[in-house]
Amino acid sequence: MENEFAKVMSERTDEELIKIVTVERDKYNPTALEAADEEVEKRKIDTSKFQEIKEKATAAKIQKQKVNSNIVGSGTRFLHLLIDWAIWIVLSFILSFIVGLVIDPVNLDLFQVVIYVLFLGTFITYYAIMEIKY
């Protein structure tokens, strides 16, 4: 098996090897790390490159962790959708009730148009605020 690791590590680029022996050590088993260390020594890779590549790889790893920490499951997203819809409907009905008290619904067609526009307006406003804020 050690020969397999040596073969695999010999096919890696210098940058990949440096990442393996510095930043990504926790992802590999000890035998693979030994093979990577031996390959680095065999190639006589300049250690000044280590720090530069290590910094880049660490920054990329941190960025990836930040992105991954913001990912939520589909169940959570569905629950948020239901909560958003419930809040939107309640807000729309409250505003519709207030508009119904202010506007005399003599002209029923006009009143229905106002209510539809109100529902659409509250949906767009609520969605925009939630997207901007969260």
Side-chain angles (χ1 to χ4, degrees), residues 1-10 17 20-21 24-40:
M1 181 167 264
E2 194 164 331
N3 287 338
E4 291 177 34
F5 285 128
K7 182 179 183 283
V8 170
M9 294 303 169
S10 69
L17 282 172
I20 291 169
V21 300
E24 299 177 350
R25 285 192 84 83
D26 56 332
K27 293 182 180 181
Y28 293 90
N29 74 32
T31 312
L33 289 172
E34 286 175 25
D37 286 330
E38 289 172 9
E39 187 63 30
V40 167

Side-chain angles (χ1 to χ4, degrees), residues 1-65:
M1 181 167 264
E2 194 164 331
N3 287 338
E4 291 177 34
F5 285 128
K7 182 179 183 283
V8 170
M9 294 303 169
S10 69
E11 295 171 354
R12 302 284 184 147
T13 64
D14 289 353
E15 188 171 319
E16 289 173 329
L17 282 172
I18 293 170
K19 283 181 188 178
I20 291 169
V21 300
T22 56
V23 180
E24 299 177 350
R25 285 192 84 83
D26 56 332
K27 293 182 180 181
Y28 293 90
N29 74 32
T31 312
L33 289 172
E34 286 175 25
D37 286 330
E38 289 172 9
E39 187 63 30
V40 167
E41 288 176 24
K42 188 167 93 175
R43 292 186 192 182
K44 294 183 172 72
I45 298 174
D46 185 18
T47 55
S48 63
K49 286 184 178 180
F50 271 52
Q51 190 60 29
E52 179 185 331
I53 292 174
K54 183 179 179 181
E55 288 173 3
K56 285 181 186 177
T58 304
K61 185 178 180 181
I62 290 170
Q63 182 65 26
K64 186 176 179 181
Q65 287 172 343

Side-chain angles (χ1 to χ4, degrees), residues 23-125:
V23 180
E24 299 177 350
R25 285 192 84 83
D26 56 332
K27 293 182 180 181
Y28 293 90
N29 74 32
T31 312
L33 289 172
E34 286 175 25
D37 286 330
E38 289 172 9
E39 187 63 30
V40 167
E41 288 176 24
K42 188 167 93 175
R43 292 186 192 182
K44 294 183 172 72
I45 298 174
D46 185 18
T47 55
S48 63
K49 286 184 178 180
F50 271 52
Q51 190 60 29
E52 179 185 331
I53 292 174
K54 183 179 179 181
E55 288 173 3
K56 285 181 186 177
T58 304
K61 185 178 180 181
I62 290 170
Q63 182 65 26
K64 186 176 179 181
Q65 287 172 343
K66 284 181 184 178
V67 169
N68 288 341
S69 69
N70 291 331
I71 296 174
V72 295
S74 56
T76 304
R77 289 177 57 91
F78 182 69
L79 178 65
H80 290 172
L81 173 72
L82 293 178
I83 292 169
D84 285 344
W85 274 90
I87 292 170
W88 168 66
I89 288 173
V90 168
L91 284 174
S92 296
F93 278 113
I94 290 171
L95 289 174
S96 298
F97 180 74
I98 292 170
V99 168
L101 293 175
V102 173
I103 296 177
D104 187 25
V106 174
N107 186 350
L108 196 58
D109 290 337
L110 177 63
F111 185 70
Q112 285 178 335
V113 168
V114 169
I115 296 300
Y116 287 138
V117 169
L118 186 66
F119 266 68
L120 180 64
T122 56
F123 176 75
I124 291 171
T125 304

